[in-house]
Amino acid sequence: MDRRDEAGQSREGLLRSYKRGESIPMRKSLEEAYRSDSESDLDATEFLDSEPLDTSSKPPPPAHQPATWLRTLQNICARRSKCILMIIFVLIIFWMILGGGGLFLYKQKPVDGESPPWYPTPPGGTVAQWSESYNKAAELVKKMTLAEKVNVTTGTGWQMGLAVGNTGPAIHVGFPGLALQDGPLGLRFADNATAFPAGITVGATWNKELMYLRGRAHGKEARLKGINVLLGPCVGPLGRMPAGGRNWEGFGTDPVLQGIAAAQTIKGIQEEGVMATIKHFIGNEQEHFRQSWEWGLPNAMSSNIDDRTLHEMYGWPFQDSVKAGVASVMCSYQMLNNSYSCGNSKLLNGILKDELGFQGFVQSDWLAQRSGVGSALAGLDMTMPGDGLKWASGKSLWGPEMSKAVLNGSLPIERLNDMVTRVVAAWYQLGQDDKSKFDGQGPNFSSWTNDKMGVINAGSPDDKDTKVVNKFINVQGSGEDAHSIIARQVAVEGSVLLKNKDNVLPLSKDGWPSDQGHEINMRIGIFGEDSGEGNGPNACPDRGCNQGTLGSGWGSGAVEFPYLISPAAALKEAFNKDRVYVTDYPTNSPPFKSTPVILKDQDICIVFANSDGGEGYIASEGISGDRNDLYLQHNGDNLITEVSEGCGDGRGSTIVVIHSVGPVILDKWINLPGIKAVIMANLPGQESGNAIADILLGKVNPSGKLPYTIGKSLDDYGPGAKILYHANGVIPQQTFSEGLYIDYRHFDKFGVEPTYEFGYGLSYTKFQFANLRVTPVLPKSSLPAPRPTGIAPPKFEDVIPDASEALLPKGFRKLKKFVYPYIDKLSDIKKGKYPYPEGYDIQQPPSQAGGDEGGNPDLWNVYANVSVDLTNVGPRGGKEVAQLYLSFADLQGEAKHVDFPLKVLRGFEKVYLEPNETQTVHFNLTRRDFSYWDVVQQNWVMPTEGSFTIRVGTSSRDLRLTGWY
C-alpha cells in the first residue's frame, strides 16, 4: 500500500473529506488556485536573501491597456456558453468570499507587527549542563564547509527521505542527516509501533509516573525505528477554546498540568536518547486560519496575547519543558501579535533563547517559515520540511538561498554557526553519537509506502533506485516489557468516572448475586457505533473520519493502529457467558421501533458515544479541524436519551461512556432518571476496550480526573472560548482579551456553575484529607536573585567562507525537488546593501528573569513545603489525586491592586492506598509558583505582604483543607 496519497495531503493546507474510508478531494490548494509562481506572502524581510536594494522602477503599462485578467475574460466571453460558465464561476468565488468573512476583508489593510524587535540571537552554550556537548559540537562545526552547515539546518524537502522531516548530512565530518517524525502519541506512518492514548488522556491520569513511562516507551520505539527527533510532546494549544481541533494532543487546560506532563514526557523520551520537540510555540489555539491560504486568505491569523498572559499561561509549560532540557522547540504556524511565530524575534530570541535560556534548536512547523534571512535573524535554526512557501516544490527559503545570503553578507556567518552548533550540540547532548544506539543509517521504515521495497526520495520523479525501505521491525516490546501494558494503564487511569448513582458500578462479571447456580440472570445491551470496530481503526488516512470506536483525534498527531480493541469485543469477553447475556448493537440507529425487545429485555444498557476533531488540513463530515460545537456527534445525545428511556422498559440502568477530543455538553440527558453512570474515557488508544472493561467490572478502581471543565453550554466558557470561524480581517485577529481567565479560572471569576469542574473524578472508594501543614523554607522576597553570568559560548571566526564551498560539485547529479545547499555559479552571489530588520542595531539587555535553562535559577528554588495526610476510608483499594491550589486573595500592599484568579493549580500528587491506609503527601512550592509576571519590571515578582492561601482537595471545587504561607 502506498502512503504517498495519504502523506501528500498532510500538513500542507489541503482540505480533504473522508467518509467511510473513501478519500474525496474537496478542493485544490487555494494557493495554487489564486496565486502565480511569482507571487509570495513573505514578510518584510523577504528581500534580504533575494536581491539587493534596487531604486529603479519599472515603467507602468500603457494607458487604457486592459489588465491581463480582463483580456482573458473578454476572450472567454466571445462564446456565450463559456461566458455563462465564467459568470457562474465568478459568482461561486464571490459567495465563497462572503462566506469567508465578507467584502470588508478587502477594504482592510494588514496590521503592522506589534511584537517588538529583539536582536541578535543569543548564542547557545551558555549553561554548564550543555557545555560538554557544545564544546564537541563547536569542534565539529569548525570543520564543516558552508554547504554542510546549510545541510544541517535545511530540510531536504517533502518526501525527500524516509521520515516526515529529513536534514542533509555533513559527510566529511561524520555528522549524519537527521530524521524527524510525528508525533505526540506514537510514531506516525510507522508499522509495528504502539498507538498510545492521546495527550488529553495522559493529562486525565494526573499520574506523573505514567507520564514518564509513556514518554520513555515512546522514545524507545522512536530510537529502535531510527528516528533522531520526535515531534512531541504538545502543549500548544493550551485549550483556550474547548472546541479547538488539536486540544487533544496536549494534556489539559491548565498550564501547570500541561507543564508537569510535558516535563515528565520529555524526561522519558530523552532518557532513550531521542530528541523531544515541544510544540507549538506559541498561540496555536485554533485550526481555522492557522496557515496562509489554508482558508482562502493570504495571511494566517494573529493570536494577540499580552505579556503577562503569555508568561503565566501559554508560555508556562514551555518554560517547564526547557527546564527539563528539551532538545527542540517547534514554532507555530500562525502569527503572534501580528508577526509570524517562526519569524518573531521577540518570541524566539528574547523570550525563548534569552529569558528561558533554551539551548537546543528551534525548528519550524512544516511550512510555517515565511521568510528567509528574516527568520534566521529572528531565531529560527532549522526549517522543515525544507520547501519554502509551497509544498513539494523543492524551492527553499534556505538551502541555496542561505548559501547566497552568507556569501553576500546579508546573513552573518556567526548566526549560521550558532544555528548549526545548536543542532549538533543537541545531537551530542542526547548521546546520538553512540553507535550502539544510533547507527547513522536513518529510519528502518518508510513514511511513504507500506511495501518492503521502495525509493528513499518518494517525492522526486528522478529517484528510481529501489531498495529495502521497510524492515518491519517490531518495537512494541514483549512480555512484561510490552508497551501495551503502559498504554492500557494510561487508558484506565485516564478514564474519568463522572456519575455513579446508586453505586451501579462496578458491575459483576457474574451478573446479579444468585443461588440458582450457573444460569443467565442478567442481560446487558451495548449500543452505539462508538462501541464497535466500524471499518477498522485505519480506514481513513491520518484517522480523518469518525467511524467505529474513537481511539484518537485526526491529523499529523495520529498514528497507524497496530490494533484497536473495541469496547464491545472486550466487554463480551469480560463477562461470564454462563450467567450474563451480552448483545451489542454497534450503530447509532438501532431498530428500536421495529424490534422494541432489544431495549425492553435489558437489565443494563451501556451506550457509547463520541465527539471527534483534529488538524485543519482534514475536513470530515463538515468539521474542518475545530469542532463546530460541543455536542456529541452522530446524534449521540438522541441515542443516549432513547436508550435511557426504554432500557428494561424504563426499569433498567443506563451507563454512558464517552470518547471525545475534549469536553462535551451533557445537560441534555445527564439528569434523566435512567442515567445511572457516566464515564469520560477521553481518547484511549489501542487498548480502549480492555481499559473500559477494567473500569466497568471493577478490576481497577477509577482514578481519572478531568483535565478540563465540562460546562452546561459553550457560552459558559466565555467569549474568548469561541473559535473564530469567519475571518474578521485580511489577517484574522484573535485577541486573547480574557487574559488569565480560561476554563476553571473563568468559571470561578464569573460564578458560573459547571456540570463537572476541572479536576473532578469519582472513585469506587472514599478518601479523607487531614493535617495540612505549611513549612516555610526560604523567606519571601520580591525579586529573584540577580541573573547568573553563565559560561562563555563557543567562539568562531566571523570570516565569510570561500564561495567555492557552496558551488555544485562537478558531475553531481541532482534529484528534482530535492533541496540542496549548492549554488550553480558564482554570479548567483549578488553583492549590495542588505538592510537588517528595524531594531536590529538596538542592543538588548539580558533579561533578569533568565540565566539558565528554564529562566533564573532562583525561580526553581523551593520556598515552602506543604504536606497533607490522605486516608482511604472506603471499602476498596484505589488511587486518589491530591490537588493543591494557590489563592492570592489574602495578599496586602501593592499586590492587592494586581488582578489574580480566584485560585490556580500549583501541584498534584497521585497515590495508591489500601482500605484504612494513610500516606503523607508532599508538595514543594517554588518562587515561580508564588510569583506573577510584572510587565513593568519585566520579571517574576513575589508579593511579600500578607499571606498566600494554600488549599488542598480532590478537585478545583472540592478543596477540603486550608493553610497559609
Side-chain angles (χ1 to χ4, degrees):
M1 175 183 175
D2 198 332
R3 289 204 190 102
R4 294 190 198 186
D5 291 338
E6 174 179 346
Q9 303 304 324
S10 305
R11 292 188 184 266
E12 82 277 36
L14 302 186
L15 298 181
R16 296 184 72 84
S17 176
Y18 299 118
K19 182 178 181 182
R20 300 298 180 192
E22 182 180 3
S23 177
I24 307 173
M26 291 185 66
R27 65 177 185 229
K28 293 179 65 178
S29 166
L30 287 170
E31 182 175 1
E32 295 177 9
Y34 295 113
R35 296 171 61 195
S36 70
D37 288 339
S38 63
E39 292 175 316
S40 75
D41 59 355
L42 282 174
D43 66 22
T45 59
E46 173 191 5
F47 62 88
L48 291 180
D49 58 337
S50 55
E51 301 288 343
L53 290 176
D54 185 356
T55 57
S56 64
S57 60
K58 296 180 180 179
H64 309 300
Q65 179 178 338
T68 302
W69 69 268
L70 183 57
R71 294 199 307 272
T72 303
L73 183 62
Q74 290 172 344
N75 292 336
I76 291 175
C77 289
R79 292 181 59 183
R80 181 176 298 179
S81 61
K82 288 187 176 181
C83 188
I84 293 173
L85 290 174
M86 176 56 72
I87 291 172
I88 293 174
F89 177 77
V90 171
L91 288 175
I92 291 174
I93 295 300
F94 181 74
W95 175 81
M96 289 173 63
I97 291 172
L98 287 178
L103 289 176
F104 75 93
L105 295 180
Y106 294 85
K107 296 179 182 179
Q108 295 188 353
K109 295 181 179 180
V111 180
D112 290 334
E114 298 167 349
S115 192
W118 207 106
Y119 298 101
T121 301
T126 57
V127 302
Q129 52 270 37
W130 281 71
S131 60
E132 183 179 352
S133 296
Y134 264 89
N135 289 335
K136 291 179 180 178
E139 290 303 311
L140 202 67
V141 172
K142 289 174 182 178
K143 301 174 185 176
M144 290 184 186
T145 65
L146 174 59
E148 289 179 322
K149 293 176 182 179
V150 173
N151 253 357
V152 173
T153 61
T154 306
T156 55
W158 182 240
Q159 295 188 349
M160 298 301 179
L162 297 177
V164 297
N166 306 272
T167 60
I171 295 175
H172 297 101
V173 297
F175 186 78
L178 302 181
L180 300 84
Q181 195 76 9
D182 297 303
L185 65 77
L187 288 174
R188 185 186 184 200
F189 296 147
D191 58 84
N192 294 305
T194 306
F196 292 98
I200 198 66
T201 313
V202 179
T205 70
W206 294 65
N207 186 324
K208 296 177 184 177
E209 182 184 16
L210 278 182
M211 294 167 181
Y212 161 75
L213 290 174
R214 172 180 172 271
R216 184 155 190 180
H218 191 7
K220 185 174 184 178
E221 293 195 1
R223 177 173 60 80
L224 293 176
K225 282 291 189 179
I227 296 302
N228 302 93
V229 185
L230 193 57
L231 304 179
C234 175
V235 294
L238 179 64
R240 173 183 186 245
M241 290 162 273
R246 300 187 76 177
N247 292 352
W248 59 273
E249 295 185 38
F251 304 102
T253 55
D254 181 86
V256 171
L257 177 59
Q258 285 258 31
I260 291 174
Q264 291 296 321
T265 303
I266 291 164
K267 179 182 177 183
I269 292 171
Q270 297 198 162
E271 281 189 8
E272 285 294 331
V274 173
M275 303 182 213
T277 303
I278 196 69
K279 63 182 187 181
H280 306 86
F281 194 62
I282 198 169
N284 185 186
E285 294 293 316
Q286 69 169 62
E287 291 301 285
H288 282 73
F289 311 115
R290 67 168 186 162
Q291 278 184 281
S292 304
W293 295 107
E294 191 172 38
W295 299 90
L297 293 174
N299 298 289
M301 68 173 290
S302 176
S303 296
N304 304 321
I305 308 176
D306 68 87
D307 193 24
R308 184 181 175 197
T309 299
L310 189 147
H311 280 82
E312 294 186 32
M313 294 292 291
Y314 301 94
W316 184 289
F318 286 96
Q319 187 171 10
D320 282 312
S321 301
V322 174
K323 179 64 176 176
V326 71
S328 177
V329 172
M330 180 188 290
C331 50
S332 54
Y333 281 115
Q334 90 304 322
M335 297 185 186
L336 178 75
N337 298 336
N338 288 290
S339 176
Y340 277 101
S341 298
C342 291
N344 188 314
S345 64
K346 173 61 177 177
L347 181 65
L348 302 184
N349 290 339
I351 295 177
L352 181 61
K353 292 184 176 179
D354 175 56
E355 184 187 313
L356 298 186
F358 176 58
Q359 300 297 304
F361 61 93
V362 178
Q363 60 169 287
S364 70
D365 205 338
W366 271 229
L367 249 68
Q369 180 192 26
R370 309 311 299 171
S371 67
V373 166
S375 60
L377 295 177
L380 185 66
D381 302 306
M382 179 187 290
T383 177
M384 278 288 136
D387 303 291
L389 298 173
K390 292 185 179 181
W391 281 89
S393 67
K395 298 178 180 179
S396 181
L397 293 169
W398 284 0
E401 299 304 317
M402 178 174 283
S403 297
K404 295 177 193 175
V406 170
L407 294 172
N408 68 24
S410 60
L411 178 68
I413 186 63
E414 55 261 36
R415 174 76 266 262
L416 177 60
N417 286 335
D418 177 60
M419 293 159 62
V420 181
T421 307
R422 283 176 173 272
V423 176
V424 178
W427 183 75
Y428 277 119
Q429 185 77 354
L430 273 297
Q432 294 192 4
D433 56 325
D434 184 347
K435 301 295 185 182
S436 67
K437 292 185 177 181
F438 291 86
D439 58 14
Q441 300 302 308
N444 51 47
F445 71 99
S446 171
S447 298
W448 320 120
T449 180
N450 288 331
D451 298 331
K452 179 179 180 179
M453 306 300 293
V455 297
I456 301 295
N457 304 294
S460 175
D462 292 347
D463 192 348
K464 309 295 184 182
D465 186 13
T466 302
K467 56 185 62 178
V468 175
V469 293
N470 280 308
K471 298 181 180 179
F472 306 111
I473 296 174
N474 192 325
V475 297
Q476 299 169 86
S478 60
E480 294 181 355
D481 296 323
H483 297 160
S484 59
I485 297 173
I486 297 170
R488 181 169 178 167
Q489 190 174 354
V490 172
V492 168
E493 293 198 26
S495 296
V496 184
L497 179 62
L498 298 178
K499 182 177 182 178
N500 193 19
K501 187 177 180 181
D502 301 329
N503 291 320
V504 66
L505 294 178
L507 302 172
S508 169
K509 69 180 182 64
D510 296 318
W512 308 122
S514 173
D515 297 327
Q516 300 178 13
H518 295 287
E519 61 183 44
I520 299 297
N521 70 351
M522 177 183 282
R523 294 180 180 271
I524 295 178
I526 301 173
F527 301 93
E529 66 181 58
D530 185 68
S531 70
E533 298 176 358
N535 296 322
N538 300 319
C540 300
D542 281 339
R543 317 295 75 78
C545 61
N546 186 356
Q547 59 84 42
T549 193
L550 186 65
S552 81
W554 72 60
S556 63
V559 300
E560 309 291 315
F561 280 85
Y563 62 85
L564 175 53
I565 305 295
S566 72
L571 287 170
K572 290 168 77 173
E573 185 66 26
F575 284 103
N576 183 344
K577 297 177 178 62
D578 293 330
R579 297 175 61 81
V580 180
Y581 185 67
V582 181
T583 52
D584 64 306
Y585 305 90
T587 172
N588 280 22
S589 302
F592 294 140
K593 292 184 179 179
S594 62
T595 316
V597 68
I598 65 177
L599 264 181
K600 283 181 59 178
D601 285 358
Q602 307 298 342
D603 297 305
I604 301 289
C605 296
I606 307 175
V607 188
F608 288 83
N610 66 38
S611 185
D612 199 5
E615 196 169 354
Y617 67 84
I618 292 175
S620 176
E621 301 180 23
I623 300 169
S624 300
D626 304 311
R627 288 185 288 167
N628 299 330
D629 52 50
L630 298 184
Y631 292 104
L632 293 170
Q633 295 166 5
H634 297 175
N635 295 313
D637 292 313
N638 294 337
L639 174 67
I640 293 169
T641 300
E642 198 168 4
V643 170
S644 68
E645 291 175 348
C647 184
D649 207 14
R651 297 184 300 275
S653 298
T654 298
I655 299 165
V656 179
V657 179
I658 297 170
H659 294 124
S660 178
V661 293
V664 294
I665 304 302
L666 310 177
D667 282 50
K668 286 185 176 182
W669 45 264
I670 190 68
N671 293 315
L672 293 176
I675 303 293
K676 299 297 185 181
V678 179
I679 296 174
M680 180 65 73
N682 295 296
L683 299 173
Q686 66 187 37
E687 289 287 325
S688 174
N690 290 333
I692 198 62
D694 287 346
I695 295 290
L696 291 175
L697 274 69
K699 186 176 181 180
V700 181
N701 198 342
S703 60
K705 303 287 184 178
L706 287 176
Y708 45 70
T709 297
I710 297 179
K712 300 179 185 299
S713 70
L714 177 59
D715 288 337
D716 283 356
Y717 294 86
K722 297 183 179 179
I723 303 290
L724 180 68
Y725 293 107
H726 301 285
N728 56 9
V730 175
I731 301 176
Q733 302 290 308
Q734 262 282 26
T735 300
F736 293 29
S737 55
E738 74 286 345
L740 307 177
Y741 297 99
I742 71 169
D743 200 76
Y744 72 91
R745 301 169 180 227
H746 168 85
F747 281 76
D748 288 349
K749 180 180 177 67
F750 294 99
V752 181
E753 188 66 26
T755 304
Y756 295 107
E757 71 269 22
F758 175 83
Y760 175 86
L762 299 176
S763 170
Y764 296 153
T765 189
K766 294 183 179 179
F767 299 92
Q768 187 177 83
F769 290 79
N771 301 325
L772 178 66
R773 298 173 293 276
V774 179
T775 305
V777 176
L778 293 172
K780 300 173 188 174
S781 60
S782 181
L783 294 173
R787 172 178 174 141
T789 304
I791 63 177
K795 295 292 185 182
F796 296 89
E797 294 184 5
D798 58 359
V799 178
I800 295 177
D802 191 282
S804 63
E805 293 186 14
L807 278 176
L808 181 70
K810 291 183 179 180
F812 188 90
R813 185 178 71 88
K814 285 185 176 181
L815 292 177
K816 289 181 180 177
K817 297 189 176 182
F818 195 101
V819 177
Y820 296 99
Y822 304 117
I823 59 176
D824 293 323
K825 51 188 181 301
L826 295 180
S827 59
D828 289 342
I829 306 166
K830 295 182 173 63
K831 300 291 185 179
K833 294 181 179 180
Y834 295 90
Y836 287 148
E838 182 179 350
Y840 189 85
D841 56 351
I842 299 175
Q843 185 66 36
Q844 299 288 344
S847 170
Q848 286 303 304
D852 202 349
E853 282 187 294
N856 191 314
D858 193 12
L859 294 173
W860 302 93
N861 286 330
V862 174
Y863 275 71
N865 297 131
V866 179
S867 63
V868 64
D869 294 336
L870 183 57
T871 304
N872 184 347
V873 295
R876 296 170 175 264
K879 293 181 180 180
E880 178 61 300
V881 180
Q883 303 172 34
L884 185 151
Y885 293 81
L886 196 66
S887 172
F888 301 83
D890 294 328
L891 295 173
Q892 302 297 321
E894 292 184 4
K896 286 188 69 68
H897 305 291
V898 178
D899 183 26
F900 290 108
L902 182 63
K903 59 181 172 290
V904 291
L905 179 70
R906 281 297 183 261
F908 58 88
E909 296 292 338
K910 191 170 194 175
V911 295
Y912 177 85
L913 297 170
E914 293 288 353
N916 300 317
E917 181 183 359
T918 298
Q919 283 190 34
T920 300
V921 180
H922 298 274
F923 301 90
N924 291 321
L925 295 176
T926 66
R927 169 180 282 278
R928 186 178 66 145
D929 291 327
F930 289 117
S931 300
Y932 68 96
W933 181 257
D934 189 301
V935 299
V936 176
Q937 298 191 65
Q938 287 294 291
N939 208 338
W940 294 94
V941 173
M942 176 192 290
T944 57
E945 298 181 55
S947 300
F948 295 94
T949 304
I950 297 167
R951 306 180 70 189
V952 177
T954 64
S955 78
S956 62
R957 294 204 170 190
D958 185 6
L959 300 173
R960 304 178 185 180
L961 299 176
T962 303
W964 291 268
Y965 166 66

